[in-house]
Amino acid sequence: MTGQAVQVWWARRDDGHPGLLALLDPVERARYEATVAPADKERFLLGCALSRLALGELLGVSPADVPLRRVCPRCGGPHGKVALAVPPESAYADVDFSVTHSGDVIGVAVCRGASVGLDVEEYAAGLDVDTAATGALTPTELTALYARPPAERHSAFLRTWTRKEAVLKALGVGLRLPLRELEVSAPQAPPAVLAWPDRLAPRPEAALADMVVDGVHPASVAVVGARTVRIDRRDASAAVAAYTGGA
């Protein structure tokens, strides 16, 4: 099989357990303790744990020994995009990964030799599609959305959103680059970037792939620096349950 290989690991919020706390470094533990909402604490813990479980398998080390770092590109604080903390000469310096969560779903995508972005969106019945679409979609995307029957617009918008978010995450810019300046293919078409923001030069090469988690939640993977992508999908619930923190 051809294409950029990407492992995508999925877990659920109720997979979490106290043994995972052993995987947090001091910075992460402080952030975990400072988080007030229980659901947010659980998602953060699982995101950290799942990252180390996935990367530990790739590096051939214990999850607890996987070095991660967060450095904000604007202020230098420890709250930027998480990355693998290895020296440039390391055999694993080309490893990139992306963490996402929405509702009860947490995911991590890992690849080598390219930049990866992963996004999942909970299929929430209360979403105001009209308001969200106006702020996130290009005119062409809006036209395609409203050409669909009203009953299909919720899922169509979420599919478009996950594709765009995954691309921005792979670029490492998050929402600092407005979603309305990036155009992707219509939900029913094969995933692809159709138009890049004018400020982004040169235009990167990017590959996209779509997924559905638990039969209802749309998710997308973007790889910048590849023409096609090949997904190795993993259900991480068993691996998370098996980790006991050395007990």
Side-chain angles (χ1 to χ4, degrees):
M1 297 178 66
T2 60
Q4 175 66 51
V6 178
Q7 284 188 359
V8 181
W9 296 59
W10 295 110
R12 289 85 192 156
R13 189 158 61 91
D14 59 8
D15 292 331
H17 57 84
L20 300 178
L21 289 169
L23 288 172
L24 301 185
D25 64 25
V27 172
E28 293 164 342
R29 188 61 180 254
R31 178 171 169 181
Y32 173 83
E33 297 293 350
T35 301
V36 176
D40 290 341
K41 291 172 78 84
E42 292 164 1
R43 282 188 284 263
F44 177 73
L45 174 60
L46 265 172
C48 294
L50 196 55
S51 299
R52 287 195 167 89
L53 288 165
L55 292 166
E57 179 180 293
L58 177 64
L59 274 61
V61 301
S62 166
D65 293 331
V66 173
L68 301 181
R69 61 179 173 82
R70 290 173 175 82
V71 179
C72 175
R74 287 175 289 183
C75 72
H79 50 260
K81 179 185 176 182
V82 64
L84 187 62
V86 295
E89 65 273 13
S90 167
Y92 299 103
D94 64 344
V95 173
D96 191 37
F97 69 104
S98 179
V99 183
T100 187
H101 56 73
S102 182
D104 291 335
V105 181
I106 298 91
V108 172
V110 181
C111 78
R112 301 192 67 170
S115 298
V116 67
L118 175 67
D119 188 63
V120 66
E121 295 298 328
E122 182 182 31
Y123 192 91
L127 174 68
D128 183 345
V129 172
D130 293 335
T131 299
T134 300
L137 305 190
T138 68
T140 300
E141 291 167 340
L142 282 170
T143 299
L145 178 69
Y146 287 109
R148 303 178 71 87
E152 297 179 7
R153 291 173 189 167
H154 189 162
S155 58
F157 170 75
L158 289 179
R159 173 54 69 207
T160 302
W161 176 278
T162 63
R163 290 177 180 177
K164 292 163 77 98
E165 264 282 300
V167 171
L168 296 187
K169 288 183 176 182
L171 291 172
V173 298
L175 292 178
R176 296 196 304 277
L177 193 67
L179 287 169
R180 291 192 65 191
E181 296 183 13
L182 174 75
E183 187 169 305
V184 297
S185 52
Q188 71 274 17
V193 177
L194 301 183
W196 294 96
D198 291 338
R199 72 182 79 177
L200 194 64
R203 303 291 194 267
E205 184 174 61
L208 287 167
D210 293 335
M211 289 172 286
V212 177
V213 184
D214 295 339
V216 64
H217 308 299
S220 297
V221 173
V223 179
V224 172
R227 293 183 178 179
T228 59
V229 57
R230 174 167 48 89
I231 302 297
D232 176 9
R233 182 167 175 161
R234 308 285 189 92
D235 188 325
S237 294
V240 170
Y243 188 80
T244 61

